[in-house]
Amino acid sequence: MTLQVKAADSARGTRRRWCLRLCLLLALVSPQLSAGQTGQSSPLRLSVEWEPATLFVGAPFLLRVASSQPIESLKGSWLGREIFFEFDPRSGRWSGLAGVGLETAPGSHQLSLTGESVAGGRVLLRQSLAVTRAAYRSSALSVPRRYTEPDAATTARIAEEQALKKEVFARISPARQWGGVFLAPLEGVTTEPFGTQRTFNREVQSVHQGLDYRAGSGTPIRVMNNGTVILARELFFEGNCVVVDHGQGLLSLYLHLSELKVKEGESVRKAQIMGLSGATGRVTAPHLHVAIRWQGVYLDPARLLRLTIP
């Protein structure tokens, strides 16, 4: 009987020692597991850079965002518009394209970024970005009076085309279609920059919302990047024009063409010939007018061509 009691006490003592060892082991391991699951051991942080270093009214810019820990998604908000981000595995950073419309007042404007981790945690970054006024020149042009004083039938046509353009420009497809840097639509000399204050026939004033290239009629025009043709037809002011949707609210427009080489709904590739230059619409001579539109605002194509987009 005595031997049985001692054996039982010995077994209970052994179990207590194992329980103590197991509890000690869990105490050492559990904080590490908990921190790894909640992400509290090292706080999740975002840092942002932009290109170019100085942001101008009327110009596009590229954002590059780094995260202290892997994140699953990143969203941005800027001047009331959404910025779409893509992860670049080569640099380990997220990149997003944005812009500053011509109507934006110079000064400080807030950028908001929201990142989400795989575990569902969120991190928010608010960064003030300074916007500077760009210097734009003025020019005076002479065009046929029907472009400044249209008759009733033409006025009705212009209204219909404005409604069509409003509908087309309102489309924002979240999927990015472009790939890498944007290419110039042709190799040539630019004749009038973006943002020029224009006076037509000393009466009608407007802002030149694109970039003009010297191009004789029949010069092949290339698509600046991958996308989908959402408009390819003749319009009163624009003449034969093509609009390509590159995704995420980014469009490129090609005006005054003598011939169209693409159709609406067609997928196009960077550097593909999409038309021939001409002198259709409101022009003074044959040339190409190319424009860039981002979520409702026009941006300087020349500055877009200089961005190192991944």
Side-chain angles (χ1 to χ4, degrees), residues 37-60:
Q37 290 170 351
T38 62
Q40 295 176 352
S41 60
S42 57
L44 178 59
R45 295 188 179 90
L46 300 176
S47 60
V48 59
E49 298 176 350
W50 50 92
E51 177 194 343
T54 302
L55 306 185
F56 290 100
V57 171

Side-chain angles (χ1 to χ4, degrees), residues 5-244:
V5 171
K6 287 183 177 180
D9 289 342
S10 176
R12 283 194 295 270
T14 301
R15 284 196 296 271
R16 281 197 297 269
R17 286 194 296 271
W18 275 109
C19 286
L20 288 173
R21 290 176 183 175
L22 181 59
C23 289
L24 179 60
L25 180 62
L26 289 174
L28 293 172
V29 174
S30 294
Q32 297 177 1
L33 291 175
S34 176
Q37 290 170 351
T38 62
Q40 295 176 352
S41 60
S42 57
L44 178 59
R45 295 188 179 90
L46 300 176
S47 60
V48 59
E49 298 176 350
W50 50 92
E51 177 194 343
T54 302
L55 306 185
F56 290 100
V57 171
F61 63 94
L62 185 68
L63 292 167
R64 295 186 180 89
V65 180
S67 173
S68 62
Q69 297 178 23
I71 56 176
E72 188 174 47
S73 64
L74 181 66
K75 295 181 180 179
S77 177
W78 166 253
L79 299 177
R81 296 171 175 84
E82 182 178 359
I83 303 176
F84 299 87
F85 285 90
E86 301 282 341
F87 182 70
D88 179 17
R90 292 174 296 181
S91 65
R93 296 187 292 180
W94 295 75
S95 64
L97 191 65
V100 184
L102 283 169
E103 78 289 349
T104 303
S108 182
H109 298 273
Q110 189 175 85
L111 167 72
S112 295
L113 300 175
T114 304
E116 186 168 337
S117 68
V118 177
R122 287 190 175 185
V123 59
L124 175 65
L125 172 67
R126 291 189 175 94
Q127 175 83 44
S128 293
L129 305 183
V131 172
T132 302
R133 185 184 302 279
Y136 296 118
R137 69 183 193 184
S138 300
S139 69
L141 299 172
S142 216
V143 297
R145 291 183 60 184
R146 68 191 185 96
Y147 289 108
T148 58
E149 302 175 25
D151 57 25
T154 303
T155 300
R157 175 188 175 182
I158 292 172
E160 291 178 0
E161 292 178 355
Q162 286 176 337
L164 170 65
K165 288 182 284 187
K166 182 178 180 180
E167 178 186 350
V168 170
F169 293 157
R171 303 173 190 171
I172 298 179
S173 53
R176 168 175 167 171
Q177 297 187 53
W178 81 79
V181 298
F182 279 69
L183 301 179
L186 69 134
E187 295 179 3
V189 177
T190 58
T191 57
E192 184 153 324
F194 173 88
T196 301
Q197 302 290 323
R198 283 177 156 183
T199 299
F200 290 98
N201 299 353
R202 300 182 181 181
E203 296 179 4
V204 179
Q205 293 187 350
S206 68
V207 176
H208 189 227
Q209 297 180 322
L211 180 65
D212 285 352
Y213 283 86
R214 181 178 296 137
S217 293
T219 302
I221 306 302
R222 302 177 298 183
V223 178
M224 298 176 73
N225 217 313
N226 308 334
T228 302
V229 178
I230 57 175
L231 189 69
R233 64 182 70 182
E234 191 262 337
L235 302 175
F236 180 70
F237 288 115
E238 296 83 357
N240 291 321
C241 77
V242 171
V243 179
V244 176

Side-chain angles (χ1 to χ4, degrees), residues 186 212-221 238-241 254-260 275-289:
L186 69 134
D212 285 352
Y213 283 86
R214 181 178 296 137
S217 293
T219 302
I221 306 302
E238 296 83 357
N240 291 321
C241 77
Y254 312 82
L255 278 56
H256 312 308
L257 303 173
S258 62
E259 186 177 340
L260 303 178
L276 305 180
S277 65
T280 57
R282 187 175 66 182
V283 296
T284 57
H287 71 283
L288 171 70
H289 172 103

Side-chain angles (χ1 to χ4, degrees), residues 48 96 130 252 261 264:
V48 59
S252 61
K261 297 287 188 181
E264 294 176 6

